[in-house]
Amino acid sequence: GKYVPKPVVRGVQLSTGTLLMAEGVRFIIGTSRFQVLKNAAEPYLSLQAFGPIPIGIIIGFVGGLVTLLFLNNRKFPAGLLLIIGGTLIGVLLGKTGILKQVSLSVGFPKVLPFGFPTSADFSYALLILVLPQIPMTIGNAVIANVDLSREYFGEHSKKVTYGASCISMSLANFLSFLLGGMPLCHGAGGLAAHYRFGARTPGSNIIIGSFFVALAILFGKHALGIVYLIPMSVLGILLLFAGSQLGLTILDVEDRKDLFVVLMILGITLATNLAAGFIAGILVAYMLRYEKLSV
């Protein structure tokens, strides 16, 4: 951006990618918070291990191999193969109660299902959720996302601007609020994942969006039963490769000072959070423009 140096953008992208990769590995080996809470590496599979080897590691290894083999295949996209294969594993090895949860329940979302928020709700959300999230949203969902869009799509991404990204997120969150949904934002990680797994046109967003809308309308709360069919380790592979693609954006960083900023943001992010890394990165990047400072 105009006021955010390029190494800061790359640092945010590397940090986000590293966080995604780390979470992906946890999904594969079964140590994510959700898996620990459920006390199972694959909470929705009836089979947890082949001998001494956890089932998640086996699925992760096979899934990783499939991804490497088909990552550049246009006829059989790796991401689609992973989802289909994971779903089949869920059908064959899933716990008996999972499929019973899947049943048609046609319905449409209600407007303000939890009622209109009180002033206390707004105050709590502003202080606890909104303000702490602003630096990360600006860094990853706006600046890094726009930068990656331009890198991937060149002139075709001219409509993807900082302003457009902010407005689209605002509208999406307002609609989500009306329907009782969760907060959401853009993200360089999601863009990297979609692109690397084969998405090249707006049609990919229409396809995946239509799929999720259909799930919600046709199955309602029972749609989770379908999601549960996909093993955690398959999701881990998707996160691992998505994060790696985002991290690889630093390949164009050659200057020593710039690389220092990138790595410093990564270190601070791992020790604290991405928002702190983003803010510190901007400060250090501007400081290092002073010629007498060296690294």
Side-chain angles (χ1 to χ4, degrees):
K2 184 177 180 181
Y3 302 106
V4 180
K6 181 178 178 180
V8 175
V9 177
R10 291 292 181 260
V12 169
Q13 291 169 333
L14 175 63
S15 299
T16 304
T18 302
L19 293 175
L20 291 175
M21 292 175 67
E23 192 64 20
V25 172
R26 293 188 192 101
F27 279 7
I28 294 171
I29 64 178
T31 59
S32 72
R33 291 183 180 180
F34 179 75
Q35 290 161 298
V36 171
L37 182 65
K38 292 290 186 178
N39 196 29
E42 290 292 350
Y44 301 108
L45 294 184
S46 57
L47 182 65
Q48 292 297 311
F50 277 111
I53 306 176
I55 185 68
I57 293 179
I58 296 174
I59 296 174
F61 176 79
V62 175
L65 184 60
V66 169
T67 302
L68 291 173
L69 288 172
F70 290 90
L71 199 55
N72 293 318
N73 193 305
R74 302 299 294 271
K75 291 184 178 180
F76 303 101
L80 187 59
L81 292 178
L82 283 177
I83 296 299
I84 293 175
T87 303
L88 288 176
I89 292 174
V91 171
L92 296 174
L93 301 179
K95 293 182 177 179
T96 54
I98 299 299
L99 286 177
K100 292 181 180 179
Q101 296 180 22
V102 180
S103 62
L104 283 175
S105 179
V106 179
F108 293 90
K110 298 178 181 179
V111 176
L112 295 177
F114 305 108
F116 196 83
T118 64
S119 57
D121 293 329
F122 277 110
S123 299
Y124 181 85
L126 177 65
L127 296 175
I128 304 300
L129 301 176
V130 177
L131 294 180
Q133 182 69 19
I134 286 178
M136 182 175 177
T137 299
I138 293 175
N140 181 53
V142 179
I143 297 174
N145 184 64
V146 171
D147 177 85
L148 199 62
S149 296
R150 292 171 180 170
E151 180 179 332
Y152 284 162
F153 300 105
E155 282 297 315
H156 294 292
S157 67
K158 60 184 179 182
K159 292 184 179 180
V160 183
T161 63
Y162 300 139
S165 297
C166 292
I167 291 173
S168 61
M169 283 191 291
S170 300
L171 294 175
N173 276 290
F174 182 72
L175 178 61
S176 179
F177 153 72
L178 291 177
L179 300 179
M182 294 289 290
L184 50 89
C185 66
H186 295 300
L191 175 60
H194 281 277
Y195 184 88
R196 195 64 185 95
F197 283 110
R200 294 293 186 275
T201 68
S204 60
N205 291 326
I206 295 174
I207 292 171
I208 192 171
S210 300
F211 175 74
F212 284 124
V213 169
L215 277 183
I217 293 176
L218 296 177
F219 296 96
K221 63 181 181 180
H222 302 294
L224 285 176
I226 298 176
V227 177
Y228 291 156
L229 291 175
I230 303 174
M232 300 287 289
S233 49
V234 170
L235 300 179
I237 287 295
L238 293 172
L239 284 177
L240 185 62
F241 276 86
S244 67
Q245 297 306 311
L246 194 54
L248 287 172
T249 57
I250 70 165
L251 289 175
D252 62 355
V253 179
E254 299 178 352
D255 183 78
R256 185 179 178 86
K257 286 186 176 181
D258 290 347
L259 189 58
F260 174 81
V261 172
V262 171
L263 296 178
M264 188 206 65
I265 293 174
L266 174 61
I268 293 176
T269 297
L270 295 178
T272 56
N273 55 64
L274 184 57
F278 174 61
I279 294 172
I282 293 177
L283 294 175
V284 173
Y286 276 103
M287 288 171 55
L288 289 178
R289 290 183 176 182
Y290 185 52
E291 293 182 358
K292 291 187 177 181
L293 295 179
S294 60
V295 295

